[in-house]
Amino acid sequence: MIINLRGQRVILDSDLAQVYGVPTKRLNEQVKRNAERFPEDFIFRLTVTEKAEVVANCDHLQNLKFSSQLPAAFTEHGAIMAASILNSPEAVAMSVFVVRAFVQMRERLAANAEILKRLAEIDKTLLEHNDALSIIWQQLQPLLEPPPDPPKRKIGFDYKGEGE
């Protein structure tokens, strides 16, 4: 249910309402009544283009295709704030779930970043070793060549006589 829009991880109002066990209409009513609790970094409305893209990419959002309303997108903070204004038992329980989902995503991203950092270190080490092995190979190459053939001995006598 968590998707990436405008460089942020968000959950749409219909999905959040489902998580909190309330109708989407009621969630949006409460957000309007408590507008001061939802600054722009907590919630934003999708554009027509974003709505079309989300509907095309997310199968569970096909019912938004024919809706005249543009859905609201809640950031992590907006989803938590929505739970505080709904005050239903489901909202309280689900707010804990939503927080854990976002935290788990953040931990996975941090773990991936750490893995990428370690891979970069390994790659650097391998390149250094490759250079060192190349130098060693160049120095060993002359030693691996077979020795030159000894001069051939002449058959017979070598006579260098006096007086000839």
Side-chain angles (χ1 to χ4, degrees), residues 20 38 40 48 63 88 91 102 125 156 158 164:
Y20 289 152
F38 293 94
E40 290 179 10
V48 175
N63 58 346
S88 69
F102 276 105
T125 303
D158 188 16
E164 276 192 29

Side-chain angles (χ1 to χ4, degrees), residues 7-162:
Q8 297 182 21
R9 294 183 307 272
V10 298
I11 185 167
L12 297 184
D13 56 0
S14 58
D15 291 335
L16 191 60
Q18 182 183 4
V19 167
Y20 289 152
V22 297
T24 306
K25 182 177 179 179
R26 180 157 181 267
L27 172 65
N28 287 325
E29 285 173 356
Q30 291 300 320
V31 169
K32 283 181 186 176
R33 286 184 187 153
N34 296 283
E36 70 280 355
R37 292 185 180 207
F38 293 94
E40 290 179 10
D41 58 329
F42 281 27
I43 186 173
F44 59 87
R45 290 272 170 204
L46 273 62
T47 64
V48 175
T49 307
E50 289 171 332
K51 176 184 169 186
E53 181 182 331
V54 166
V55 169
N57 292 334
C58 301
D59 291 335
H60 75 281
L61 298 173
Q62 290 299 319
N63 58 346
L64 293 177
K65 187 175 188 176
F66 302 107
S67 173
S68 60
Q69 296 290 322
L70 293 175
F74 291 84
T75 63
E76 178 180 0
H77 302 295
I80 295 167
M81 187 61 72
S84 71
I85 63 169
L86 289 174
N87 274 341
S88 69
E90 294 92 354
V92 172
M94 286 300 140
S95 67
V96 172
F97 175 79
V98 169
V99 169
R100 286 183 179 149
F102 276 105
V103 167
Q104 188 178 34
M105 260 181 110
R106 186 178 297 131
E107 287 172 353
R108 286 183 182 168
L109 288 174
N112 286 344
E114 187 63 32
I115 289 170
L116 290 175
K117 180 181 173 186
R118 181 68 181 127
L119 284 174
E121 291 172 0
I122 291 171
D123 188 41
K124 181 181 174 187
T125 303
L126 286 175
L127 288 174
E128 290 171 358
H129 289 175
N130 189 32
D131 292 342
L133 288 173
S134 178
I135 292 169
I136 291 171
W137 177 253
Q138 289 173 359
Q139 291 174 350
L140 283 176
Q141 199 64 24
L143 298 175
L144 295 175
E145 291 179 7
D149 292 334
K152 290 188 178 180
R153 293 180 64 194
K154 292 183 180 178
I155 298 177
F157 295 104
D158 188 16
Y159 177 73
K160 294 184 182 179
E162 295 176 27

